[in-house]
Amino acid sequence: MVQGTSTFPITRVKNSRRESVDFDNLPFGTVWSDHMFVADYADGAWSRGKIQPYGPIEIHPSAKALQYAVSGFEGFKAHRIPTGECAVFRPDMNRNRLNRTAQRLMMPEVPEELFFDAMRELLEVDKDWLPDADQGALYIRPSYFGITPTLTVAPGDAFRLVIMTCPVGGYFSDDISLTITQEYVRAFPGGTGSNKLAGNYAPTMLASALAQKQGYHNVVWLDGVERRYIEECGVMNVFFVIDGTVVTPPLEGTILPGVNRDSAIQLLADLGIPCEERRVSVDELREAAAAGILEEMFGCGTAAAIAPVGRLGLEDEDITLELRSDSVANRLKAELFGIQTGTIEDRHGWLMRL
Ligand code: COI
């Protein structure tokens, strides 16, 4: 985008809500910035797109998104760096993943130019909504879905891309507790676990609610075939530290290829901490805990960044994990946050500065 010009028509809010928001208290995903971007795909082409006040949109009740979950989304963050600029963290990864989701749902690709121009101009319009680095980040949520109003089970021919943003603080205020679910699975071979489909999330809510009833934050998901191997936790990728080595399940089709997962693996290599991508069974965890070598467990995602786990429920026992200040999770969190907020050199070229 050339500074001062706009690719899209912009309808601005009359009165910004910015001043009424407490930026020191930003529960995740509850406060929306003033504007959003909307573009439709119809008759084989994308509309120009527009920036308009954030608010309800019109959609037929028979739209494919509502009837058959023809819908995918992304989530990524922008941080304020010391120059005062806005730095978006690895948005190319999200754009590519959104298009893999689109392919899985037979939706047309979102062109690179449309995605990045929309993101840049929306962030420019709502630049006052970017929190200071110590307050949090601006979470960017592209949502892409089918709007054809017919009941045939087919993707349809009309689609909508909406990009909204919200200032967010931390996702969890403290360490978390998780329990393994044997009853429910999140994904299975041939399914959609490696794509960011809206429909992957709805079926997880019952399992999470049951875990919460038992006093845990969420569940640990096992593989859908043998129900022996750990795949993810809650809405995050999962990492363990076993006897000094970090272990995370490999991307074999059922696990979401998280951007922070990828970043964490790279940063662990930078920090000289050994990391293996391999399957981890519940039995291995039980044995490692008994032998005193299950040193850490943490979740890793965009919303929560790195979330240390303090308690892990297996079927018949709870494992308590020590939370040391010099833990791998904390070192990783500091490294990731430092790069995102521009206090540590962006040695991998991960930031898009605006
Ligand atoms: C993430 O942390 O990557 C997420 O997608 C979380 C979101 C579903 C709240």
Side-chain angles (χ1 to χ4, degrees):
M1 182 186 78
V2 180
Q3 208 64 35
T5 64
S6 174
T7 309
F8 310 106
I10 303 174
T11 309
R12 288 179 189 269
V13 293
K14 288 202 178 73
N15 297 304
S16 171
R17 288 175 281 104
R18 167 70 180 80
E19 288 313 312
S20 63
V21 173
D22 176 6
F23 269 56
D24 292 318
N25 176 27
L26 292 167
F28 183 85
T30 55
V31 177
W32 295 96
S33 312
D34 283 329
H35 300 88
M36 63 184 183
F37 172 85
V38 183
D40 282 0
Y41 180 96
D43 300 324
W46 280 95
S47 69
R48 186 173 170 207
K50 57 190 177 187
I51 291 174
Q52 63 188 60
Y54 172 83
I57 52 169
E58 271 198 1
I59 181 168
H60 282 273
S62 56
K64 303 289 185 187
L66 298 178
Q67 298 302 320
Y68 302 128
V70 178
S71 177
F73 70 94
E74 272 305 322
F76 53 108
K77 283 179 175 170
H79 292 83
R80 192 180 292 283
I81 56 176
T83 56
E85 286 168 300
C86 168
V88 191
F89 189 67
R90 307 190 75 182
D92 50 321
M93 297 279 282
N94 298 88
R95 185 258 167 184
N96 293 342
R97 193 171 61 186
L98 183 65
N99 278 337
R100 290 199 300 275
T101 298
Q103 198 174 39
R104 186 66 174 81
L105 293 174
M106 295 183 67
M107 302 198 290
E109 176 166 316
V110 177
E112 189 174 335
E113 214 181 330
L114 175 70
F115 184 88
F116 288 111
D117 283 350
M119 180 195 84
R120 276 193 213 100
E121 295 191 25
L122 185 62
L123 293 182
E124 171 64 26
V125 168
D126 278 335
K127 58 176 181 257
D128 292 345
W129 287 84
L130 182 69
D132 288 337
D134 58 353
Q135 293 172 316
L138 195 68
Y139 183 79
I140 304 160
R141 168 59 65 98
S143 180
Y144 184 30
F145 46 89
I147 54 173
T148 304
T150 59
L151 291 186
T152 40
V153 183
D157 54 9
F159 304 90
R160 181 165 295 159
L161 172 69
V162 178
I163 307 180
M164 47 209 145
T165 71
C166 55
V168 294
Y171 195 78
F172 299 114
S173 49
D174 233 325
D175 62 284
I176 56 171
S177 57
L178 300 169
T179 182
I180 288 176
T181 172
Q182 286 285 350
E183 198 174 352
Y184 300 102
V185 292
R186 174 191 168 274
F188 41 85
T192 57
S194 64
N195 296 116
K196 212 161 172 72
L197 268 57
N200 283 351
Y201 290 78
T204 67
M205 294 177 194
L206 174 61
S208 314
L210 293 174
Q212 281 154 19
K213 231 175 170 173
Q214 294 170 16
Y216 300 94
H217 285 90
N218 215 318
V219 295
V220 174
W221 301 104
L222 299 182
D223 73 278
V225 178
E226 295 180 69
R227 311 238 180 148
R228 282 180 59 198
Y229 296 98
I230 313 289
E231 297 219 320
E232 291 194 17
C233 63
V235 292
M236 296 180 286
N237 292 121
V238 64
F239 287 72
F240 300 94
V241 185
I242 303 174
D243 203 14
T245 296
V246 179
V247 183
T248 191
L251 301 179
E252 287 173 342
T254 53
I255 291 176
L256 189 80
V259 178
N260 275 358
R261 175 189 181 280
D262 183 83
S263 309
I265 291 170
Q266 179 62 58
L267 294 179
L268 288 165
D270 295 356
L271 293 168
I273 299 171
C275 176
E276 294 172 2
E277 288 179 74
R278 65 162 174 83
R279 298 185 114 193
V280 187
S281 68
V282 178
D283 287 345
E284 179 182 351
L285 288 186
R286 207 188 290 276
E287 282 160 24
I293 56 169
L294 179 58
E295 290 153 9
E296 289 179 48
M297 174 177 180
F298 53 91
C300 180
T302 296
I306 306 291
V309 177
R311 186 164 60 102
L312 171 63
L314 301 181
E315 280 142 42
D316 43 5
E317 60 174 326
D318 266 8
I319 296 173
T320 305
L321 294 141
E322 200 190 335
L323 299 159
R324 299 184 332 270
S325 58
D326 63 346
S327 67
V328 170
N330 283 344
R331 290 172 65 194
L332 202 49
K333 196 172 175 174
E335 195 70 17
L336 182 64
F337 187 69
I339 292 176
Q340 289 175 328
T341 55
T343 59
I344 293 177
E345 189 200 341
D346 177 21
R347 55 188 181 270
H348 298 292
W350 285 342
L351 300 188
M352 182 184 274
R353 291 159 183 253
L354 306 177

